[in-house]
Amino acid sequence: MNISKSAGSDQLWGLRATRLFDGERFHPGSPLVLFRGNTIEAVDLSGADPADSIPVEDLGDATILPGLVDAHTHLAFDPAQDAFHQVQADDDAALLARMRRHAQQALRAGITTLRDLGDRNYLALDLRDQFTADASGPEILVAGPPITPTRGHCWFLGGEADGLDGVTAAARERIARGVDAVKIMATGGATTPGTALHESQYTLAELRAVVEVAHQAGTLVTAHAHGGGGIADAVAAGADGIEHGFFLTGDTPRRAEPDWATVAALAERGVFVGTTTARRPPAEPVQGTTLRVRTNFARMHREGVKLVCSSDAGVGPLKTHDCLPYGILEFSTLLEHTNTEALVAATSLAAESCGVGGRKGRIAAGYDADVLVVAGDVQRDLTSILDVRAVYRAGALTSGVLDESTQTAGR
């Protein structure tokens, strides 16, 4: 029986490999994951044979993991182009086609859920609806155009809003449209001429107004913040997440100098920090401010900050929309996580940061049937995360190298 064609139906079927990472810990002994429809039915860690009536894909020397979660992407941005000019030049049809292509590129790398933190005209809502209907791409979580001052960072996405009344109205508009998170630009950014990364763009009162409106509606708020002042204000305002969190200064050359009191507040309040450090390996060794940022993150991790492995995909040539797995590798080296912690940062913790931790990022009964299978033992050799054998989205095989020899009815 070709199980991959029946996956996603109401038939009970199973997936087995030598080992399993459930989003928190590893399990040896040929665990068995049972699926029904688009949901995980059960997980059997005993290694026992299933009933003969249950068809099973036995993948042998491989690891089953939850599908990866990229909590910070920009699907409309082409990594090979200048986003500032490109997005202004392209019409909605061109942007949406690019977004669909980039989302499916992410899925092939095992990214079954991604959060788009900056589109134009809420195009990601259209993509979210399509992939919800047919599972031809990852699940998309949407923020819409980020809230930014007039000519502020990423103003070209259409999210300009000024003053308390302006930002309050902007937050309400996004909630009315059904976003999954509200994003606000607390500081300037690199992709927008005329803004400075270290400089704050909104007051504490304005940030707090957005958080209050969003939280009243049960919606998360995440703040783009590079500079220490913007980070501190976003934390004080009650933001659920900080994107980047580099603590960049205005010095020349630029430095990354955390305010460790703010870091302590991040840890105490449980604020998620999306590191946006994932990228394809650069040609030159990591050094200078880039290395300092990662060294700072390693200390932040030791001090209890919830660091989420994310990519900011689309903002540069190394930020391809399938680069998240490379960020996992860097978490285990420069950011000084164990292999298990690095995987947690891109699965269960990332899902929690996006507000979907109750159904994404884990292999457990009742969770969505979004599954990544990689060759070998990823616990011992984390580079195995790059060797994708199969990707299941909503219970259906979407990408992989399975063949009939791996398929059995029972064992």
Side-chain angles (χ1 to χ4, degrees), residues 70-80 83 86-87 90 92-107 111 113-120 122-131 137-144 157 183 311-315 319-323:
D70 194 339
H72 189 140
T73 71
H74 295 280
L75 292 173
F77 294 179
D78 184 340
Q86 183 189 46
V87 171
D90 289 343
D92 282 0
L95 285 182
L96 189 58
R98 183 182 304 124
M99 292 169 71
R100 183 179 296 108
R101 183 171 65 253
H102 287 160
Q104 291 174 333
Q105 178 186 13
L107 184 63
I111 302 165
T113 303
L114 60 82
R115 184 167 66 171
D116 188 295
L117 286 183
D119 71 352
R120 191 185 72 195
Y122 298 91
L123 293 174
L125 289 174
D126 295 336
L127 204 59
R128 182 181 74 181
D129 292 345
Q130 177 192 335
F131 292 158
E139 178 159 339
I140 307 294
L141 304 173
V142 180
L157 294 176
K183 183 184 181 186
S311 71
D312 205 7
V315 300
K319 298 280 193 175
T320 57
H321 290 270
D322 57 359
C323 73

Side-chain angles (χ1 to χ4, degrees), residues 264-285:
L266 287 166
E268 179 182 355
R269 300 186 184 196
V271 179
F272 296 96
V273 175
T275 66
T276 64
T277 48
R279 58 182 182 169
R280 287 186 171 271
E284 300 296 328

Side-chain angles (χ1 to χ4, degrees), residues 148-409:
T148 195
T150 298
R151 289 302 186 264
H153 180 44
C154 284
W155 64 264
F156 54 90
L157 294 176
E160 292 171 305
D162 299 305
L164 285 172
D165 290 344
V167 297
T168 299
R172 287 174 176 159
E173 177 190 352
R174 282 149 183 76
I175 291 162
R177 286 178 175 268
V179 299
D180 301 288
V182 173
K183 183 184 181 186
I184 186 165
M185 300 301 206
T187 71
T191 59
T192 309
T195 71
L197 283 77
H198 67 286
E199 291 182 354
S200 296
Q201 296 195 140
Y202 283 117
T203 65
L204 172 58
E206 289 164 339
L207 293 170
R208 184 173 285 136
V210 169
V211 171
E212 289 176 354
V213 168
H215 284 182
Q216 286 171 4
T219 303
L220 299 174
V221 175
T222 195
H224 161 105
H226 284 295
I231 296 169
D233 283 348
V235 174
D240 304 284
I242 300 293
E243 304 303 319
H244 312 299
F246 294 168
F247 288 93
L248 297 180
T249 71
D251 301 306
T252 303
R254 192 180 302 281
R255 295 181 297 123
E257 297 292 345
D259 169 18
W260 295 104
T262 300
V263 170
L266 287 166
E268 179 182 355
R269 300 186 184 196
V271 179
F272 296 96
V273 175
T275 66
T276 64
T277 48
R279 58 182 182 169
R280 287 186 171 271
E284 300 296 328
V286 177
Q287 56 188 341
T289 302
T290 300
L291 178 59
R292 181 60 183 269
V293 164
R294 284 145 177 81
T295 301
N296 290 339
F297 277 145
R299 177 175 167 183
M300 289 165 70
H301 173 58
R302 293 194 299 271
E303 297 197 8
V305 176
K306 295 180 178 180
L307 298 182
V308 175
C309 181
S310 59
S311 71
D312 205 7
V315 300
L318 300 180
K319 298 280 193 175
T320 57
H321 290 270
D322 57 359
C323 73
L324 184 68
Y326 293 97
I328 297 173
L329 301 182
E330 193 175 74
F331 256 57
S332 75
T333 54
L334 296 180
L335 275 68
E336 299 181 9
H337 286 54
T338 67
N339 286 0
T340 298
E341 289 171 337
L343 291 166
V344 167
T347 54
S348 57
L349 187 68
E352 290 173 21
S353 77
C354 295
V356 293
R359 61 185 181 88
K360 300 284 188 183
R362 287 183 169 86
I363 303 291
Y367 276 69
D368 292 354
D370 293 349
V371 173
L372 167 63
V373 182
V374 300
D377 186 350
V378 73
Q379 183 177 19
R380 293 178 179 271
D381 180 9
L382 201 53
T383 63
S384 295
I385 198 70
L386 305 175
D387 192 355
V388 175
R389 293 205 63 192
V391 180
Y392 290 83
R393 166 79 173 94
L397 179 65
T398 62
S399 174
V401 292
L402 302 182
D403 59 39
E404 295 297 326
S405 67
T406 68
Q407 300 172 9
T408 63

